[in-house]
């Protein structure tokens, strides 16, 4: 049996609320900076749409940023902006 790639457009119906997980080293302004990076693409983003969690060691911070995605291209643009930022280690 062959595996087929799943197209996100077959799974998601746009517009939809979509959580993006962003991880980086702990920095006092990490959440604010990530808010500003995402808000360029999602002007309706509010601080209440971000949940933060520190690692047990306190070295890293994980954010879940929930956006209203309008298309696959919209999500791709957000992911590109986040992954290209110097403070970001991983984006899921």
């Amino acid at each position: 049996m062959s595996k087929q790639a799943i197209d996100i457009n077959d799974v998601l119906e746009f517009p939809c609320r979509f959580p993006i997980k962003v991880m980086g080293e702990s920095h006092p302004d990490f959440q604010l900076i990530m808010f500003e990076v995402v808000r360029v693409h999602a002007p309706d983003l509010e601080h209440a749409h971000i949940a933060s969690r520190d690692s047990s060691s306190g070295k890293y911070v994980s954010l879940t940023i929930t956006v209203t995605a309008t298309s696959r291209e919209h999500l791709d643009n957000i992911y590109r902006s986040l992954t290209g930022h110097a403070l970001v280690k991983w984006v899921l």
Side-chain angles (χ1 to χ4, degrees):
M1 182 162 61
S2 67
K3 292 184 180 181
Q4 290 183 319
I6 296 174
D7 185 346
I8 194 168
N9 295 313
D10 293 339
V11 179
L12 297 176
E13 205 173 299
F14 295 103
C16 66
R17 299 291 290 159
F18 192 87
I20 300 170
K21 195 73 107 160
V22 183
M23 291 165 267
E25 287 189 32
S26 190
H27 181 282
D29 295 323
F30 185 73
Q31 183 169 334
L32 178 60
I33 293 167
M34 294 306 108
F35 173 81
E36 291 171 355
V37 168
V38 174
R39 193 147 190 208
V40 168
H41 304 283
D44 62 335
L45 183 68
E46 298 176 13
H47 289 282
H49 300 151
I50 301 176
S52 176
R53 182 175 175 184
D54 294 328
S55 66
S56 58
S57 68
K59 183 175 179 177
Y60 296 97
V61 63
S62 169
L63 303 177
T64 301
I65 304 172
T66 304
V67 299
T68 300
T70 57
S71 67
R72 168 71 185 260
E73 181 181 10
H74 185 214
L75 285 174
D76 288 346
N77 290 335
I78 294 170
Y79 273 83
R80 273 192 289 278
S81 291
L82 289 168
T83 57
H85 198 282
L87 290 177
V88 174
K89 298 294 182 191
W90 304 280
V91 180
L92 305 173

